[in-house]
Amino acid sequence: MNAQKNQADSEIRQAIDRENPATVAAFEGFDGRAVFAIAVAFSAFQIWTAAFNPVSTMVVRAVHVGFLLLMTFTLFGFRQTAERRRVPWYDWLLGLTAFAVGLYHYVFEVDLIQRAGDPSTTDLVVGTIAVALVFEAARRIMGLALPIMCGVFIPYALFGRHLPFGLAHRGYDIDQVIDNLYLSTEGLYGTPTFVSASYIFLFILFGAFLERAGMIKLFNDVSLGLVGHAKGGPAKVAVISSGLMGTINGSGVANVLTTGQFTIPLMMRFGYRPAFAGAVEATASMGGQLMPPVMGAAAFIMAETIGVPYSEVAIAAAIPAILYFGSAFWMVHLEAGMRNLVGLPKDQCPSALGAVVEGWYLILPLAALIYLLFSGFTPLFAGVIGIAATAALILGTTIVGTVGSMALRVAFWVAVGLVAAGLWKLGFRTEHLAFTMVILLIIPCLLFKGGRQTLVLVVNSIADGAKNAVGVGVACALVGVLIGMMTLTGLASSFASTIVDWSGGNLLAALVLTMIACIVLGTGLPTTANYIITASIAAPALLTMGVPLMVSHMFVFYFGIMADLTPPVALAALAASSICKADHMEIGWIATRVAMAGYVVPFMAVYDPALVLQTGNWLAVAYVFIKACVAIALWGAATIGFFWTPLPLLARLYAAAAAFLFVLALPLTDEAAFVMTGLFLLWQHRRRSVPSAAPA
């Protein structure tokens, strides 16, 4: 029994560490100071290159990976241990070697360009070391699954001419493989690493700033004020709070560990069983990767992969995200109705308006970020301005907090605006102006104790952002190996034709195969890696079968996320189990029911792309949205076993059948589904009017 418990604790710890490396180690002495300084330097490098563009994109990618590997070898040991208080000398050696390898492109950039396609022996040796270090770093963070999956493609490229069963290709020499993986933009430094270095890091840092500044408390207070007193209020608070957290944090497991510390005990205190409480939080937190404007790291990679502005991806994800959280909200409402669970007393709930009035300044950077993203600016520019605006507001609010007079506070912000306007007239670029204002606000903060404490908060946020970017960044670098080898050998097109053949040309069969592949891959891979692989293999197959480009990629994106809820691994459920102390498998199975919309909406989007706004006909959008809402209501009733009254088994099957007809979107299926829904509502209305049918 103890051995099983220790194994479960180890799995939970590894899942948490993978998504939230800021908590992975508590270093002491020199090691603690050194790792902290590296994290700050990493963030400073990313901000500097994003704001000032001083070096080429290849150098940015290489140094970015160098920093990622240095932090990985210092934060994660060769073996998983309970605590890591010191960094062994050999991990320092590995980390510093990896960082030096990352600087190779910076030091020899001109030489590498001049001998492009004809690497020297030194280039090949350094490249081999770089590839090996990336594999080892990924193993330490994610275990063996992803490194093995990516690693098999290297011998496939080397020995392709000797392979049977239609897998053979011309084969490539080792120098061609290393050239592709290390010296080109197709391997380690491919599109995933480019997106990690350009966009993902900045948005993770942006979220770290807002979390440190108190955004979690603001979201929790607003959620409590809105629905805390309603039927099943604590669970509804979890759904809304996690949905709001999704606007700044694209990590599902990290959301569980932040909002879940508050919402899961609250749900349990008001009658929700532990496994259900954990499942609700896991479901809502995973939805954070679907919620614009930030979404998950995979969404940024999707935008770059299919060649559209990120704002288009966010717009396409808007209705599915609303349906996802609406479904979770509906599920907990039905659970509360079935079990007669009440909300918090009204006098114990904070005022939502009061919380907004108190923390209004935290909303401004998020509003600015949304405006910039949807006004045609790049995510790089929006992220830089968002970080600078958040830092300026935190520092400025601390300064005006020392001033008692409201008039003087207003005068201070007016003066800040006038200084910014003056710098603009002097010709400062927007990014340079923003960080100049931050530096000007740092100076007065150095002069009093509260200001210095705020500066410590800012620096800690910078370090947390760097640490939390490690898992995603290393996964992006490693998956670049798979993409590079598939591109080199032409394997991606072979996979696509295989999926089409297996499905017999049937779209539904191809969708089911793709869904299964996404979920199976997700049992051992983080969401970002899962999306990149399935987008390379399965999405082209859907595209050849007539599914629009955005819809095909959104389909695999969705199921890559749902894999983190689906047993047997269910990483979000693992994280929730560490708080609610329930079996993570039980949490995972309940979460799959609560998140039913996440499994249904992607299929509906394929059959009617209006659901992801791939049409200019707003009547079509309104129709499919209403249809999806009705389908989700029926799925919820079938899943929970309750609507207005408890449902017997036959009624649950009837509701599920009606919902399934809405998904199919074939001739007459919608009409039949609406008729069945009307009959179901009429039956429930009549049954509710009978006192003996009401729940106890």
Side-chain angles (χ1 to χ4, degrees):
M1 182 66 72
N2 287 336
Q4 292 178 345
K5 183 178 184 303
N6 291 338
Q7 176 66 22
D9 290 344
S10 175
E11 291 176 352
I12 293 170
R13 183 76 257 165
Q14 187 171 357
I16 292 171
D17 291 348
R18 176 192 306 179
E19 297 281 342
N20 196 30
T23 64
V24 82
F27 294 127
E28 299 171 341
F30 169 79
D31 288 338
R33 292 190 297 271
V35 173
F36 184 83
I38 292 168
V40 173
F42 188 10
S43 290
F45 168 78
Q46 292 294 154
I47 294 171
W48 174 60
T49 54
F52 298 96
N53 301 312
V55 292
S56 69
T57 180
M58 190 65 175
V59 171
V60 172
R61 301 181 202 195
V63 177
H64 176 77
V65 173
F67 266 118
L68 289 171
L69 298 181
L70 174 56
M71 294 201 65
T72 300
F73 289 120
T74 54
L75 289 172
F76 295 87
F78 184 79
R79 295 185 179 88
Q80 288 290 329
T81 56
E83 292 187 11
R84 184 167 165 86
R85 296 288 182 180
R86 306 281 300 178
V87 182
W89 66 267
Y90 50 85
D91 281 342
W92 277 118
L93 179 62
L94 285 173
L96 293 173
T97 300
F99 186 69
V101 168
L103 292 175
Y104 189 78
H105 279 273
Y106 173 70
V107 175
F108 300 105
E109 182 177 18
V110 175
D111 295 333
L112 290 173
I113 292 173
Q114 290 176 344
R115 59 174 178 261
D118 185 24
S120 68
T121 302
T122 304
D123 295 339
L124 296 176
V125 171
V126 173
T128 303
I129 293 171
V131 172
L133 290 172
V134 168
F135 271 89
E136 170 58 14
R139 184 199 65 80
R140 292 189 180 202
I141 299 175
M142 288 165 272
L144 288 171
L146 184 58
I148 291 174
M149 184 176 298
C150 295
V152 296
F153 285 88
I154 295 178
Y156 173 75
L158 292 172
F159 306 112
R161 63 175 63 91
H162 305 296
L163 294 175
F165 310 122
L167 295 174
H169 59 86
R170 63 180 289 264
Y172 295 88
D173 296 331
I174 186 65
D175 58 334
Q176 293 172 296
V177 170
I178 298 300
D179 184 35
N180 178 276
L181 292 181
Y182 180 66
L183 299 173
S184 75
T185 55
E186 296 292 338
L188 299 181
Y189 307 133
T191 297
T193 296
F194 166 72
V195 177
S196 175
S198 302
Y199 311 149
I200 296 172
F201 188 98
L202 294 178
F203 281 81
I204 290 175
L205 188 58
F206 175 75
F209 266 104
L210 286 181
E211 285 184 34
R212 283 272 186 173
M215 196 61 128
I216 297 174
K217 181 180 183 302
L218 173 62
F219 286 157
N220 285 340
D221 287 348
V222 168
S223 304
L224 278 168
L226 289 175
V227 297
H229 59 280
K231 180 193 296 184
K236 295 175 180 177
V237 168
V239 174
I240 293 179
S241 181
S242 295
L244 292 173
M245 273 298 293
T247 62
I248 66 168
N249 184 343
S251 170
V253 174
N255 281 357
V256 173
L257 298 172
T258 50
T259 58
Q261 298 287 351
F262 166 75
T263 58
I264 290 177
L266 184 67
M267 284 186 273
M268 292 166 60
R269 182 155 59 92
F270 279 82
Y272 283 94
R273 62 191 190 277
F276 191 87
V280 169
E281 181 56 45
T283 302
S285 292
M286 288 310 300
Q289 297 183 70
L290 306 171
M291 176 61 74
V294 174
M295 302 177 68
F300 292 94
I301 296 173
M302 185 196 305
E304 197 68 28
T305 300
I306 65 179
V308 301
Y310 173 75
S311 57
E312 287 193 23
V313 175
I315 291 171
I319 290 180
I322 293 169
L323 292 173
Y324 181 92
F325 282 100
S327 170
F329 193 92
W330 175 242
M331 292 288 190
V332 299
H333 177 78
L334 293 178
E335 178 81 5
M338 185 172 67
R339 299 182 182 275
N340 198 27
L341 300 174
V342 299
L344 284 74
K346 184 80 171 179
D347 57 2
Q348 292 184 18
C349 297
S351 166
L353 180 61
V356 172
V357 169
E358 182 181 350
W360 63 271
Y361 62 93
L362 293 174
I363 301 173
L364 294 181
L366 184 59
L369 182 78
I370 295 171
Y371 171 78
L372 292 172
L373 283 174
F374 289 88
S375 297
F377 293 94
T378 66
L380 181 67
F381 179 83
V384 168
I385 299 303
I387 291 170
T390 307
L393 276 171
I394 293 172
L395 297 170
T397 303
T398 300
I399 294 170
V400 299
T402 62
V403 179
S405 169
M406 178 59 69
L408 290 176
R409 294 183 182 185
V410 172
F412 170 82
W413 287 113
V414 170
V416 169
L418 291 174
V419 172
L423 293 174
W424 177 267
K425 283 190 172 292
L426 289 174
F428 276 60
R429 280 178 53 184
T430 306
E431 306 97 306
H432 303 170
L433 186 155
F435 283 103
T436 300
M437 295 304 301
V438 171
I439 292 170
L440 291 176
L441 291 170
I442 287 174
I443 295 171
C445 285
L446 293 169
L447 304 178
F448 61 99
K449 183 178 179 181
R452 291 190 291 273
Q453 290 174 340
T454 300
L455 290 176
V456 170
L457 180 147
V458 169
V459 175
N460 285 335
S461 300
I462 290 173
D464 284 351
K467 292 177 182 178
N468 287 333
V470 168
V472 173
V474 171
C476 286
L478 182 61
V479 173
V481 173
L482 182 147
I483 295 176
M485 294 298 94
M486 289 183 67
T487 303
L488 189 66
T489 60
L491 187 61
S493 59
S494 300
F495 269 121
S497 59
T498 300
I499 291 175
V500 173
D501 291 341
W502 284 0
S503 66
N506 182 280
L507 179 58
L508 180 60
L511 292 173
V512 172
L513 285 173
T514 303
M515 176 190 72
I516 293 171
C518 292
I519 292 176
V520 170
L521 283 172
T523 60
L525 306 183
T527 303
T528 305
N530 190 346
Y531 165 74
I532 295 170
I533 294 171
T534 52
S536 303
I537 296 173
L542 299 181
L543 189 63
T544 61
M545 300 183 75
V547 180
L549 182 64
M550 177 70 78
V551 179
S552 61
H553 280 260
M554 196 67 74
F555 186 88
V556 298
F557 171 65
Y558 245 84
F559 280 110
I561 291 170
M562 299 312 297
D564 274 352
L565 281 178
T566 308
V569 175
L571 295 179
L574 268 174
S577 70
S578 67
I579 302 173
C580 67
K581 307 304 180 186
D583 178 61
H584 100 271
M585 288 290 287
E586 183 183 3
I587 295 172
W589 288 120
I590 296 173
T592 58
R593 288 161 38 207
V594 175
M596 185 58 66
Y599 297 92
V600 174
V601 167
F603 284 90
M604 297 186 73
V606 169
Y607 286 104
D608 194 340
L611 195 63
V612 287
L613 300 178
Q614 299 301 294
T615 178
N617 186 345
W618 288 102
L619 286 177
V621 173
Y623 173 74
V624 72
F625 178 73
I626 292 170
K627 186 175 76 167
C629 289
V630 176
I632 286 170
L634 293 170
W635 279 118
T639 300
I640 301 298
F642 185 87
F643 193 74
W644 290 326
T645 67
L647 301 179
L649 178 61
L650 284 178
R652 296 171 71 173
L653 294 174
Y654 179 91
F660 182 72
L661 289 177
F662 277 121
V663 175
L664 285 180
L666 298 173
L668 299 180
T669 53
D670 283 1
E671 291 81 353
F674 277 118
V675 170
M676 291 178 69
T677 302
L679 293 173
F680 177 79
L681 292 176
L682 179 62
W683 172 71
Q684 274 290 285
H685 174 71
R686 294 187 62 181
R687 196 161 186 259
R688 183 173 59 173
S689 65
V690 179
S692 61

